[in-house]
Amino acid sequence: MRDNVPDSWRRQSDHVIPVSSHCRHCRETFIHERHACPRCGRGTMTVKPASTAGVVESWTEIFDPPEEFHRMRPYIIGLIRLDDGARLSAPIVDVESGMLVKGMRVEAVVRKVYVQGQDGLIEYGTKYRPSMKVIKESKPPSGASLAKSGKQ
Amino acid sequence: MDVRVAATGGVRYGELWTLGIGDLMRAAAADVLKNFDGDMKDIDTLVLSNCFAGRALGIHTLIPLAYDELGFRGRIFEVTGSDATGGFAVQRAAILIESGVAQRVLVLGVEKIGDLLASQVQSALSSLLGSEQVFQGQTLASDYALMARQYMETYGVTLRDLALISVKNHANASLNPMAQFPFPLTVEQAAESQEIASPLRALDAASICDGASALILEKPGKNSSPVSIVGLGEGRDLPGLHDRKDLTSLAATREAAQMAYEAAGVSPQEIDVAEVHDVYSIAELMAIEDLGFARPGQAKTWVRKGRTALGGDLPVNPSGGLKACGHAPGATGVRQAAEIAVQLSASAGKRQVADASVGLSHSVGGNGSQCAVTIFRTIAIRG
């Protein structure tokens, strides 16, 4: 359903070298190239390469994915605040969900996202991984158990 | 605005293996006409509401099918608006009548998605998000899960609180012969069901299924039904959650509600009954606040005290909601409007909300990128 070579080409650059857009009026930064500011609607946007590191603000682990992602389940989608102020949602990799904490530093990494059928394109995109090695012994309370107690 | 609801109808939602999309359209149309004092020749306009026929069946417009299956020879419009399409279709029909273009409109919402595999249904739901979110494998559930996590952290809400929503909606559905799941559920069953996108569980989610619902709307006349649509509101928001300032609330709902209340000249406190878009349990909790019934963070208290249950001071989803009636994305908004009309005409049987005279229906598209809020009230019949 998503096997579309021209569409992948058009979007490839933003997928592997993400940019962010800064509104000169609102002084707020948004992920991706924007032609209108998501806040004020003005076209006062300056586009530059996005920061390649940031912190985890929140996350969820998907157990019931779309068919294209079935082989990867479960996987984590995080809300990440980049150092340039832009917020994005993206996969977090190389870490178990139980090891994630708010404020954890993460860095961008190019990874395979999806393979378009047997003979199609391999689509790459930007995912995020912890900047430092996560050691299991010093495990912080897991997201799931905190959510259960409602105190998180 | 004064547009009357002349009749309601539809089929029971569910896994309707023996029925195709044409069968569903015919069944819902036949049911609404059965409840209508007239026939198809009295209808001048048909408004079709659907979300996924293009994706699930490869049918990108239902107009030729409706012309053929229903034998309808009037004006036909087709409305699109994600899984809020039904809410928007009712509103478009009301606008057509109010503007004088149409005299009597059949609104027909239909969805045939059950032939897809469960994972294909998840792909279809994901397609309601932004294109970058689709690219990365994000889902409708994962967006609501991120909202749920933020909401739970901010307001001290637990999985048990979320479970109370599903439990309440199943209890209501057990009184509704048209519900897909007319059986009770316990808090433990809901809170301990399988995780779909942490922290959300399988029983926090509505089932995506087949269904069709219909309404006939008309100009007020001498023998009109007393149930009137009196206010319309619509709202929109950015498709990416990461672009939104606040994840504990849907700005599209707040915008739509404010517009509808102003148009109807009604305050949130005057609403007697509401059908809200509980596609996930967290969505109902947010709707109770975004529609102005409870202050931010207070919905949990309402739910814990049973204020939104049947017999409470503001029953929410007396039908059982999307959770227990089933969610047929292109039809649900029409079903919600029909439920409010049935409640206001005091013909809801065992699930009747006592003395209901002002009602509200709330339909959300995708992760809150669009919303339709419609206000209904009974108009006293002149003697």
Side-chain angles (χ1 to χ4, degrees), chain A residues 30-104:
Chain A
F30 303 91
I31 192 66
H32 302 311
E33 183 175 355
R34 306 296 175 103
H35 302 280
C37 171
R39 292 282 173 267
C40 67
R42 288 182 173 86
T44 48
M45 308 302 287
T46 308
V47 179
K48 57 182 183 183
S51 296
T52 56
V55 296
V56 174
E57 286 193 346
S58 186
W59 67 91
T60 176
E61 190 169 21
I62 297 179
F63 296 91
D64 190 16
E67 62 172 335
E68 299 89 339
F69 293 86
H70 228 253
R71 279 180 351 142
M72 291 166 52
R73 72 174 174 166
Y75 53 92
I76 299 165
I77 296 292
L79 270 181
I80 295 159
R81 179 76 66 180
L82 294 180
D83 293 342
D84 65 12
R87 187 160 76 165
L88 57 86
S89 49
I92 298 178
V93 294
D94 299 349
V95 63
E96 289 172 26
S97 63
M99 308 292 280
L100 284 172
V101 279
K102 275 187 161 190
M104 179 187 267

Side-chain angles (χ1 to χ4, degrees), chain B residues 72-321:
Chain B
F72 182 75
R73 294 296 178 265
R75 207 186 277 115
I76 309 182
F77 291 89
E78 197 163 21
V79 174
T80 180
S82 193
D83 54 334
T85 299
F88 287 112
V90 171
Q91 297 200 352
R92 298 297 179 268
I95 290 166
L96 285 170
I97 292 172
E98 185 76 358
S99 70
V101 169
Q103 304 290 311
R104 198 170 285 116
V105 183
L106 170 61
V107 186
L108 184 56
V110 63
E111 197 66 70
K112 182 67 206 175
I113 194 170
D115 296 350
L116 296 185
L117 301 173
S119 60
Q120 293 172 325
V121 171
Q122 290 306 322
S123 298
L125 289 178
S126 296
S127 74
L128 304 177
L129 309 177
S131 60
E132 287 307 303
Q133 284 69 56
V134 177
F135 172 75
Q136 292 166 334
Q138 299 181 35
T139 64
L140 190 60
S142 73
D143 266 11
Y144 274 101
L146 288 169
M147 290 189 257
R149 191 180 287 275
Q150 184 67 49
Y151 188 98
M152 292 162 86
E153 283 176 22
T154 307
Y155 295 125
V157 166
T158 65
L159 282 176
R160 287 183 69 86
D161 290 324
L162 294 184
L164 287 173
I165 305 255
S166 299
V167 169
K168 182 265 294 172
N169 285 341
H170 271 253
N172 293 353
S174 68
L175 306 173
N176 181 0
M178 293 291 275
Q180 184 184 12
F181 303 119
F183 52 81
L185 194 68
T186 66
V187 171
E188 287 67 32
Q189 282 172 321
E192 289 163 19
S193 58
Q194 200 183 339
E195 258 183 326
I196 51 170
S198 57
L200 295 180
R201 310 269 160 164
L203 294 178
D204 286 311
S207 84
I208 307 299
C209 64
D210 305 329
S213 297
L215 285 182
I216 295 172
L217 303 184
E218 63 184 9
K219 280 173 39 168
K222 214 167 69 182
N223 298 317
S224 290
S225 127
V227 178
S228 174
I229 292 176
V230 292
L232 312 179
E234 50 188 277
R236 304 207 159 66
D237 200 1
L238 297 159
L241 283 195
H242 52 268
D243 286 334
R244 299 183 191 167
K245 277 198 161 158
D246 182 6
L247 297 188
T248 63
S249 163
L250 293 184
T253 296
R254 295 200 310 274
E255 185 182 330
Q258 192 185 347
M259 189 189 290
Y261 288 133
E262 277 177 22
V266 161
S267 74
Q269 288 68 38
E270 290 175 73
I271 303 294
D272 299 315
V273 55
E275 281 284 308
V276 309
H277 195 91
D278 60 317
V279 61
Y280 298 95
S281 52
I282 181 67
E284 180 166 325
L285 214 52
M286 292 194 296
I288 291 168
E289 295 168 9
D290 292 335
L291 293 168
F293 304 147
R295 285 197 299 277
Q298 291 305 306
K300 64 172 190 286
T301 317
W302 278 53
V303 171
R304 287 173 190 165
K305 290 184 174 168
R307 292 181 68 181
T308 57
L310 272 179
D313 36 1
L314 200 173
V316 172
N317 285 330
S319 68

